[in-house]
Every structure is written in C-alpha cells, then in structure tokens.
Amino acid sequence: MVKRKSASSSDSTDWNYEAKVIEIEGIIAGIEAGELELEEVFDQFAKAVEYLRQCESFLQQRQQQVDLLIETLSDE
C-alpha cells in the first residue's frame, strides 16, 4: 500500500473521521448558501476534497484491517 501525505494525518491521534465528515458537511452548506466570494468557494472546495481524501484513506485502511481479521477467522 502506498501512503499519501494525507493518509498520515489519518494516523494522528487527534484526527477523527466523524469530525471530518461534519467539517465537510459544513463546507458544503457554506458553499450552497451562496454567501461566499468565488475565491473562498474554491478554497473551501479544495479543503473539502482534501478531507474527503483523508476519509477515503482512513476507510481503506480500516477495510484492510477487517479483511485481515476475516481471513484470520477463516483460517481457524
């Protein structure tokens, strides 16, 4: 597995999947409200994309862990 820079932040003890999802939802709500300047929309969108990448990496890592546990159970 190749780790990206964003994946390392998901290893941090202060990183939280649910908190990132809430942040993404907040960003989306802010963009949809239409009250941001265009440049801020792009900045917020870029931030949301980075958070989504972090979440995807987190979920992939956890899926690999689950697959390994299932394989271990199957071997027994």
Side-chain angles (χ1 to χ4, degrees):
M1 179 175 89
V2 176
K3 280 192 152 187
R4 287 181 261 158
K5 183 179 178 185
S6 61
S8 64
S9 58
S10 65
D11 294 336
S12 174
T13 57
D14 61 344
W15 192 89
N16 183 283
Y17 178 84
E18 290 80 6
K20 287 297 175 192
V21 170
I22 290 169
E23 287 187 55
I24 293 166
E25 290 172 346
I27 290 170
I28 292 169
I31 292 172
E32 288 178 342
E35 298 174 357
L36 301 174
E37 296 290 327
L38 186 57
E39 184 175 348
E40 184 65 16
V41 168
F42 288 121
D43 291 344
Q44 291 296 305
F45 182 77
K47 186 186 294 187
V49 168
E50 177 59 28
Y51 291 166
L52 286 168
R53 286 184 180 141
Q54 291 173 9
C55 289
E56 179 183 27
S57 176
F58 172 83
L59 291 174
Q60 287 175 347
Q61 291 171 7
R62 295 314 181 259
Q63 182 64 50
Q64 288 175 349
Q65 290 175 341
V66 168
D67 291 345
L68 182 60
L69 289 171
I70 290 171
E71 184 178 316
T72 302
L73 287 173
S74 298
D75 290 344
E76 294 175 3

